[in-house]
Amino acid sequence: MIKLLKWLSVLSSLGMLFVLIGGALVTKTESGMGCGKSWPLCHGEIIPSNITMELVIELSHRLVSGGVGFLVLLLSILAWRKLGHVRETKLLSFLSLFFLVLQGLIGAAAVKWGQSDFVLAMHFGISLISFASIFLLTLLIFEVDQKFDATSLYIKRKHRKGFYALTIYTLMVVYTGALVRHVNASLVCGGWPFCNNEYPLQFGYYNFLQWVQMGHRLAAGLIFVWVIIQFVIIRKSYSHSKIMSGGWSIALLLITIQVILGAMIIFTSLNLFVALLHALVIACFFSLLCYFVLLSSRSARADKKNR
């Protein structure tokens, strides 16, 4: 059974990545109305008669989401039954399914009735939480199978607070990035890192879209600095732990790539491949942060038992 769970969890994680990237592709190619205002069918037809590229992208995303939904449902049920004795299993099983269904409902509502840009920007963040939950459930299954040891790790209280804060802040920054896409503010600034490198401090001339773009850049830049500081702290305090030192090395690498990709979006005039890779990297980074939150929660529980 554990072997089946491992395969199922890996397939679900990879599938959820395709769902996440597919959603980003729908947004970036403006294919959200590729099937008209019909859901789950396309233009009210099981087999659409008028095939367009937008329809193919939107319908493919729906089909992949449905298939992954079935995998996640099966994974959640089996993990609950087989590993329900492990503290985090039931919560992660529930969250994996709940947020996957929630993002589907928001997508359906956007097709049927339309939504504001501020509401649609939440869609990507919900997808991130769904992917992170499935990813954590996958790690939990491999941990139970004793493929690596994370149970003996203890994270100090002051460092746990930093992990919690960084994870919440990252989700907020992700929202601002999604808002940039949904209000079509991706290319309102011709320069990088400033909106206009020749006049970098002329903030009074910014319009709303430029403020959205530059607000996201500033918020993302703070994450980059924050991760560098955390990396130095972790390397000094947990040099004996491969999970901590290795994990935060990966986190620093991912956020560095993310910053570079953010700049390349401007330099390449919103190249589709670069934009999709940008979405993929932040999904991996956020999921890694969530794993450290999970490990921190175990240390917090250990503190309570020792009081």
Side-chain angles (χ1 to χ4, degrees):
M1 177 63 77
I2 194 68
K3 186 176 182 180
L4 174 62
L5 276 174
K6 286 164 63 178
W7 275 104
L8 194 55
S9 63
V10 171
L11 287 175
S12 297
S13 296
L14 292 175
M16 190 58 212
L17 269 182
F18 279 108
V19 171
L20 194 147
I21 299 303
L25 179 62
V26 168
T27 299
K28 295 178 189 304
T29 58
E30 299 182 353
S31 301
M33 296 305 294
C35 288
K37 290 192 174 183
S38 178
W39 191 93
L41 303 178
C42 263
H43 300 293
E45 301 174 309
I46 297 177
I47 302 178
S49 54
N50 184 23
I51 305 297
T52 64
M53 182 56 66
E54 290 79 10
L55 183 147
V56 171
I57 293 173
E58 171 66 9
L59 184 57
S60 297
H61 177 57
R62 292 186 188 182
L63 292 174
V64 171
S65 297
V68 172
F70 175 76
L71 286 176
V72 173
L73 175 61
L74 185 59
L75 173 65
S76 299
I77 293 173
L78 293 179
W80 190 297
R81 294 181 60 183
K82 180 66 177 178
L83 305 177
H85 60 282
V86 180
R87 180 176 177 268
E88 299 93 353
T89 301
K90 292 182 178 180
L91 176 62
L92 290 175
S93 297
F94 171 76
L95 292 179
S96 299
L97 194 58
F98 174 79
F99 282 104
L100 184 60
V101 172
L102 181 60
Q103 71 162 349
L105 292 176
I106 292 178
V111 170
K112 296 288 288 185
W113 304 293
Q115 296 286 350
S116 70
D117 292 328
F118 291 90
V119 173
L120 289 174
M122 295 173 57
H123 193 255
F124 186 71
I126 292 172
S127 299
L128 274 188
I129 297 174
S130 179
F131 170 68
S133 300
I134 298 169
F135 176 73
L136 292 183
L137 191 56
T138 299
L139 291 181
L140 196 65
I141 291 169
F142 276 80
E143 184 181 299
V144 170
D145 197 34
Q146 298 182 345
K147 293 304 180 183
F148 62 94
D149 177 30
T151 57
S152 60
L153 174 65
Y154 177 78
I155 301 174
K156 298 175 183 177
R157 187 168 181 266
K158 60 181 179 179
H159 298 147
R160 297 198 299 260
K161 289 183 177 180
F163 296 167
Y164 299 150
L166 179 57
T167 303
I168 294 172
Y169 179 72
T170 297
L171 193 58
M172 295 169 59
V173 176
V174 166
Y175 175 81
T176 65
L179 187 62
V180 166
R181 293 194 297 272
H182 282 287
V183 299
N184 295 317
S186 298
L187 297 177
V188 295
C189 290
W192 193 92
F194 298 102
C195 196
N196 186 331
N197 290 331
E198 294 183 6
Y199 306 99
L201 302 180
Q202 289 189 339
F203 305 120
Y205 294 94
Y206 286 4
N207 57 38
F208 171 73
L209 296 182
Q210 288 173 322
W211 274 114
V212 171
Q213 169 66 241
M214 291 307 297
H216 173 65
R217 289 190 195 180
L218 176 60
L222 290 177
I223 288 184
F224 181 61
V225 174
W226 195 338
V227 171
I228 291 176
I229 295 172
Q230 286 279 30
F231 172 77
V232 173
I233 293 172
I234 297 304
R235 294 288 290 185
K236 289 182 178 179
S237 303
Y238 301 92
S239 58
H240 60 283
S241 172
K242 292 182 178 180
I243 291 178
M244 292 292 281
S245 58
W248 279 95
S249 295
I250 295 174
L252 180 59
L253 175 63
L254 287 174
I255 201 62
T256 301
I257 294 174
Q258 185 71 356
V259 171
I260 294 172
L261 289 172
M264 287 180 63
I265 286 177
I266 306 300
F267 298 146
T268 62
S269 298
L270 202 58
N271 177 271
L272 184 59
F273 176 76
V274 173
L276 293 179
L277 194 57
H278 192 60
L280 174 63
V281 172
I282 195 60
C284 295
F285 176 74
F286 179 75
S287 298
L288 185 59
L289 290 183
C290 288
Y291 181 57
F292 286 114
V293 168
L294 184 147
L295 295 177
S296 296
S297 69
R298 291 177 177 175
S299 297
R301 189 168 72 252
D303 283 347
K304 289 181 179 179
K305 288 182 178 180
N306 295 329
R307 286 178 183 173

